[in-house]
Amino acid sequence: MTDSPALGLVTDLTIWGMTCAACVRRVERRLAKLEGVTAQVNLATGRARVTHPPETTPDALAAAVEAAGYTAVLLRPELPEEQRGGADPEDGGQDRNEAGAKGAESARERERLLYTALLSLPVLVLSMVPALQFRNWQWLCFALAAPVAVWGAWPFHLRALRGLRHSAATMDTLVSLGVTASFSWSAYALFFGGAGEPGMRMPFTLVASGGHGTAHVYLEAAVGVTLFVLLGRFLETRARHGTGEALRSLASLAVKEVTIRRGAREVPIPVAELRTGDLFVVRPGERVATDGQVVEGTSAVDMSLVTGESEPVELAPGQEATGGSVNAGGLLVVRATAVGADTRLARITRMVTDAQAGKARAQRLADTVAGFFVPIVLALSAAVLGFWLGAGAETQAAVTAAVAVLVVACPCALGLATPTALMAATGRGARLGVLVSGPHALEGLQHVDTVVLDKTGTLTSGHMSVGWVTAVPGGVGEAEAVRLAGAVEAASEHPLGRAITAHARRTNAPDGLPPVRDFTARPGHGVTGRVDTRTVEVVSADASGLPPVLSAALERAEGSARSAVVVRVDGRAEALIEVADLPRPGSYRAVDRLRRLGVRPVLATGDRAAVARAVAEEMGIAEVHSRCTPEEKAALVARLQEEGRRVAVVGDGINDAAALARADLGIAMGSGTDAAIGAADVTLVRGDIEALADAVGLARRTLGTIRTNLVWAFGYNAVTLPLAMAGLLNPMLAALAMSASSVLVVANSLRLRTWEPRRAAARSGRPPRPVPSGRPTGRRNR
């Protein structure tokens, strides 16, 4: 831990016993009473993320939570990001212990629900169907209802008592009071009010009316409230478990054991012992243990669970392998370049966890409302009881109306409306290759109306590639020209030469490239060498002396500001090769989809005007800013903001960091620099700009889901509370309605887990033509 109070520490706590938004507010307020402490408590995850000074110990935080009436389990305390070290080998065990505790708790809840249902169902049937009420049926119901009201509802009673000791009221207070009032009234009526007489018959009614005097029991309300609230809690917990599926999927990608090479031996070791620089083996079907660089072997690797990209990636020596991806082909030997908390998978998991720990503005409002809601409901219930008694109503009718008010107004749905949607959305985003830093990023994505796009590395791949090859008819042919050019350029270090050689190796992989002799490089002109028995030149394109077909190809390349070279074989021009920075997959579709979503694309690049215009024309972008310095990009963002625009910036380099930080929302490419990713609010992991359109669509759907949840949560109380106060709602039905509202809110959030972007709505776009490289055209500068 750091001794610097300015940086502060972050500690995660698991909180047991929270049931509603009022509980969340109580825990946050209790922790905030400690000096220098701020906390965000998430009802859906049952966790608190606490920022505190070094002198405040984790034990003091846990004690504060327990003083509020809840149980706190300490998780791993964390330093600020810049001070974190490697992975803690105990983390996995800690997570397993927490999972085991949750599993045991779930088993106990399931057992309590089962026995409560077995005891409650006969009581409900006999109370609701007068034709089945035999002699002394009420005493059988009392015998069955007693363990339900005491043991079945014991979790509510216990938490209500804890809250009472701390002068606080929550959902459990309301349920406990409702069950206790219903059962106590029934016991009084049976023993002292005449309801225990043999042959007593009791009609069932949906409203708060009773029989004459005290000869009426409400055992069905006592067991019904307990049963339905337990059932709702159980279903809600299972549904909430589904919203955290993304984190469990990410955790499942972590490899437990890895085989490393030590000399000629292969030794299996725990992955916690793996160190940077170690060579490890990845066999077909195995997961890559950690981030590294391939040193031997070639294979197709499935990275779908890490980046959201479904198409396998071909890896060869020198290329980067990502930890957690699956080797789908041959054997690979990889050199570890990052381990523990520094791996890409660890960073993704941390971002998802941090995002789910945050709160949207709507949730903060809901928590505040819920903090005052429960005391108001208690006051309303007392007022309803007094009103009905004062109006001359039957005592049991007044008690029933008061109990219905207590039960129906539990603010469970209010507390779950936002966090469950955020959990499901961040998980779905991670599977689509979109990582958001928190709820503020989702809210920002929803409102963005202008996006400033960088060119190199964002719209384009950021490295030179062969685009078009034009061969002279009747000559050596396109394939042979590329093979010969690639062989000569293999000895060159020029970026254009490396691109040509890489393309030749891909297209001639079965045969390889022939050796070159008598290699000569002439700066500013090109390279020459002997391949087989022929003299091959790869030189700067010059219109003079070219065949018409190559002249036309050169004119087209120069018009689009692309680099071009001529391949001459034994002194005869045989082909023209165009080299460019190719667009990323889906770049045109992404820009088209953004326009359809009402987002205006703007291109801002450091390249020259001709290059910027060519890229903009290719992508269909109307507004272009070229030769932008990092300061000018930030100034452009500020100018757009002054015009009232909500601006997002997409970039991948250090030169984009200032604009990313200045924007309303910064979006970094996952393949970009650490500076860009650190300044961004959203990271597009899969390196595909089309993920940005997915992110905007997901954000809008998420915020729409949250609004629907909150409307339902508030609207439910707005409708049912007046009915209960008017004596038009049986407490048993009130409990059913309250439980159903929570389950519906969570189920609505779960729909986000299956959300699919509407990619088919966009036009298919143009063929992926090469776009300008930013280098002078028509001349080869060496």
Side-chain angles (χ1 to χ4, degrees):
M1 289 187 181
T2 179
D3 293 328
S4 171
L7 293 175
L9 304 177
V10 176
T11 297
D12 286 340
L13 301 172
T14 292
I15 312 294
W16 298 94
M18 294 190 302
T19 55
C20 64
C23 301
V24 170
R25 181 170 170 79
R26 279 183 57 204
V27 173
E28 288 181 339
R29 292 181 65 181
R30 177 67 67 170
L31 287 169
K33 289 182 179 179
L34 300 176
E35 185 176 356
V37 174
T38 58
Q40 285 192 331
V41 180
N42 192 309
L43 176 62
T45 60
R47 289 193 176 188
R49 172 150 291 185
V50 188
T51 304
H52 59 94
E55 58 268 21
T56 303
T57 65
D59 289 338
L61 300 176
V65 173
E66 290 169 2
Y70 304 91
T71 302
V73 179
L74 180 64
L75 297 179
R76 174 171 59 91
E78 296 182 342
L79 293 175
E81 187 70 32
E82 64 273 13
Q83 296 189 13
R84 290 179 186 166
D88 185 351
E90 297 298 322
D91 287 351
Q94 179 173 285
D95 290 341
R96 288 191 294 272
N97 290 339
E98 184 184 355
K102 288 182 177 180
E105 179 68 19
S106 178
R108 286 193 295 270
E109 288 180 358
R110 186 165 54 247
E111 181 180 316
R112 189 182 300 274
L113 175 61
L114 176 62
Y115 287 126
T116 297
L118 292 175
L119 293 170
S120 299
L121 290 176
V123 179
L124 293 173
V125 171
L126 289 172
S127 300
M128 297 171 64
V129 185
L132 299 179
Q133 294 172 0
F134 52 83
R135 184 180 179 85
N136 291 324
W137 67 273
Q138 67 272 38
W139 290 104
L140 173 62
C141 289
F142 179 76
L144 294 173
V148 173
V150 178
W151 176 79
W154 183 247
F156 309 122
H157 300 321
L158 183 61
R159 287 190 286 261
L161 288 172
R162 287 177 180 170
L164 183 61
R165 286 201 301 269
H166 297 91
S167 303
T170 66
M171 163 196 164
D172 298 295
T173 307
L174 304 181
V175 174
S176 178
L177 284 175
V179 172
T180 301
S182 299
F183 184 76
S184 299
W185 172 264
S186 300
Y188 173 80
L190 283 170
F191 286 99
F192 306 106
E197 295 293 331
M200 190 271 280
R201 294 289 185 271
M202 187 186 75
F204 175 75
T205 177
L206 297 177
V207 297
S209 61
H212 299 289
T214 57
H216 196 91
V217 293
Y218 287 99
L219 294 172
E220 83 282 359
V223 300
V225 168
T226 303
L227 174 62
F228 293 134
V229 175
L230 283 176
L231 176 62
R233 183 76 57 79
F234 181 74
L235 294 175
E236 170 194 314
T237 301
R238 287 179 63 88
R240 280 159 52 184
H241 182 77
T243 61
E245 185 64 33
L247 278 178
R248 287 188 293 278
S249 295
L250 289 172
S252 70
L253 301 183
V255 177
K256 304 296 186 295
E257 191 175 76
V258 59
T259 300
I260 66 170
R261 276 194 177 176
R262 288 178 176 168
R265 296 186 304 124
E266 293 186 358
V267 182
I269 63 170
V271 74
E273 298 178 11
L274 187 66
R275 296 292 179 264
T276 302
D278 286 347
L279 293 176
F280 63 92
V281 178
V282 188
R283 293 181 171 82
E286 292 182 343
R287 290 195 182 277
V288 179
T290 192
D291 295 353
Q293 187 178 59
V294 177
V295 295
E296 293 181 25
T298 59
S299 179
V301 175
D302 180 4
M303 300 180 63
S304 58
L305 287 178
V306 181
T307 66
E309 183 59 58
S310 59
E311 185 175 345
V313 177
E314 295 288 340
L315 293 186
Q319 294 183 300
E320 299 297 323
T322 301
S325 55
V326 178
N327 180 11
L331 185 140
L332 294 174
V333 178
V334 183
R335 187 184 306 278
T337 57
V339 296
D342 298 325
T343 64
R344 189 180 192 186
L345 178 61
R347 291 198 301 270
I348 291 173
T349 303
R350 191 158 55 242
M351 286 189 71
V352 175
T353 302
D354 292 345
Q356 294 186 349
K359 286 191 178 183
R361 287 192 297 268
Q363 181 60 30
R364 291 192 288 270
L365 173 62
D367 288 348
T368 301
V369 171
F372 299 102
F373 192 68
V374 174
I376 291 173
V377 170
L378 289 172
L380 279 177
S381 180
V384 167
L385 178 64
F387 172 80
W388 282 108
L389 290 176
E394 297 278 354
T395 304
Q396 67 270 28
V399 170
T400 304
V403 170
V405 169
L406 287 174
V407 174
V408 82
C410 293
C412 304
L414 197 60
L416 293 168
T418 300
T420 52
L422 290 177
M423 286 181 67
T426 52
R428 182 58 185 148
R431 288 183 175 276
L432 290 171
V434 177
L435 297 181
V436 295
S437 60
H440 70 281
L442 279 174
E443 291 171 334
L445 277 169
Q446 182 196 24
H447 300 295
V448 161
D449 55 22
T450 302
V451 58
V452 177
L453 299 164
D454 180 42
K455 180 188 76 70
T456 306
T458 300
L459 290 174
T460 65
S461 62
H463 58 268
M464 303 296 287
S465 301
V466 171
W468 291 346
V469 178
T470 305
V472 176
V476 299
E478 178 181 320
E480 180 65 6
V482 169
R483 188 179 78 92
L484 295 173
V488 175
E489 292 284 11
S492 169
E493 292 298 324
H494 192 276
L496 297 185
R498 290 200 300 269
I500 293 170
T501 298
H503 180 72
R505 282 175 175 156
R506 283 196 301 271
T507 55
N508 292 273
D511 304 322
L513 297 178
V516 60
R517 293 178 290 111
D518 301 332
F519 174 81
T520 304
R522 289 183 290 171
H525 180 69
V527 296
T528 305
R530 289 200 49 92
V531 181
D532 298 332
T533 59
R534 290 175 285 191
T535 300
V536 180
E537 300 173 87
V538 184
V539 295
S540 300
D542 190 338
S544 61
L546 287 181
V549 64
L550 298 187
S551 295
L554 177 60
E555 184 179 353
R556 182 183 64 221
E558 289 181 338
S560 298
R562 291 193 293 271
S563 299
V565 295
V566 172
V567 181
R568 296 182 182 275
V569 180
D570 293 332
R572 181 173 181 268
E574 293 285 354
L576 186 135
I577 301 176
E578 297 178 44
V579 182
D581 184 3
L582 295 176
R584 286 183 178 273
S587 290
Y588 175 81
R589 290 192 303 272
V591 172
D592 183 68
R593 287 177 59 199
L594 287 171
R595 281 196 299 266
R596 290 169 178 266
L597 289 168
V599 179
R600 182 179 72 175
V602 176
L603 179 63
T605 177
D607 280 338
R608 54 200 176 89
V611 174
R613 282 195 301 272
V615 174
E617 181 183 354
E618 178 70 22
M619 299 297 162
I621 299 174
E623 186 173 347
V624 184
H625 300 269
S626 57
R627 293 205 178 275
C628 290
T629 64
E631 295 79 10
E632 288 172 340
K633 283 188 179 182
L636 170 63
V637 172
R639 187 163 64 252
L640 291 170
Q641 290 171 328
E642 290 171 0
E643 296 173 2
R645 314 291 295 186
R646 300 294 295 271
V647 183
V649 172
V650 186
D652 74 323
I654 294 175
N655 61 323
D656 299 314
L660 287 167
R662 181 67 179 83
D664 296 296
L665 195 73
I667 302 169
M669 305 299 293
S671 57
T673 64
D674 289 341
I677 294 173
D681 303 292
V682 178
T683 303
L684 307 181
V685 179
R686 70 176 189 246
D688 178 2
I689 190 65
E690 195 170 6
L692 174 57
D694 296 346
V696 173
L698 178 61
R700 293 182 178 180
R701 174 60 65 88
T702 302
L703 273 297
T705 299
I706 290 174
R707 282 194 296 268
T708 301
N709 286 348
L710 289 174
V711 167
W712 168 257
F714 281 109
Y716 153 80
N717 282 297
V719 172
T720 55
L721 258 180
L723 291 176
M725 293 169 65
L728 300 176
L729 198 60
N730 185 288
M732 182 184 66
L733 298 180
L736 180 61
M738 184 272 293
S739 299
S741 69
S742 299
V743 175
L744 284 173
V745 162
V746 177
N748 188 44
S749 297
L750 283 175
R751 295 169 57 208
L752 290 169
R753 292 176 58 201
T754 58
W755 178 83
E756 290 291 342
R758 295 183 178 178
R759 296 178 182 173
R763 298 191 299 271
S764 59
R766 307 168 188 174
R769 299 186 311 181
V771 295
S773 64
R775 297 175 173 81
T777 60
R779 295 290 182 270
R780 182 168 178 169
N781 298 319
R782 291 185 178 266

